[in-house]
Amino acid sequence: MQFVKALVIGMGILILCGLALLVYGFMTQFGKGEEKQPSSSALAPAIGGFGETALTLDAAEAIEAVIPSGNRIIIRTNLGDGRTRLRVLDVETGKEMGSVLIQNAP
């Protein structure tokens, strides 16, 4: 009977040690996950200003959304005839890198 008591106590101690190690592992992994994701304030000093730049829109074209994506800005515009244009701008230079015209199939 004493052998069974000792076995139960030993297994209980092993379970507590295992839980402690599990909590320690979660805490160390949680801390590493936060370091991998840079905050927007951490990126701000690395981006230099480019002054003022002009983006010319067509007469019926209207901006629907501005989407930041890393060191790029994507501007979605509605052309007024059911088509949409995505313009990709470089954040560092302010220049348009290209555009994509989205239209429905005939």
Side-chain angles (χ1 to χ4, degrees):
M1 188 68 167
Q2 287 183 347
F3 176 73
V4 174
K5 285 182 183 180
L7 189 62
V8 170
I9 291 172
M11 290 173 63
I13 291 172
L14 286 175
I15 289 173
L16 290 177
C17 289
L19 285 175
L21 287 173
L22 189 64
V23 169
Y24 173 75
F26 280 138
M27 296 303 287
T28 56
Q29 290 298 321
F30 181 72
K32 288 181 183 178
E34 290 178 354
E35 294 172 3
K36 291 181 183 177
Q37 299 174 351
S39 65
S40 59
S41 62
L43 295 176
I47 299 173
F50 55 81
E52 183 177 324
T53 186
L55 179 65
T56 305
L57 301 177
D58 295 336
E61 192 172 7
I63 295 176
E64 288 184 342
V66 178
I67 306 160
S69 176
N71 61 348
R72 309 277 189 262
I73 295 176
I74 301 170
I75 299 177
R76 184 174 67 203
T77 59
N78 184 347
L79 298 177
D81 58 359
R83 297 180 303 162
T84 300
R85 178 179 289 153
L86 300 175
R87 295 175 183 247
V88 181
L89 304 176
D90 186 355
V91 171
E92 294 176 3
T93 63
K95 295 185 179 183
E96 185 173 342
M97 300 178 65
S99 67
V100 177
L101 182 63
I102 301 171
Q103 56 189 5
N104 293 331

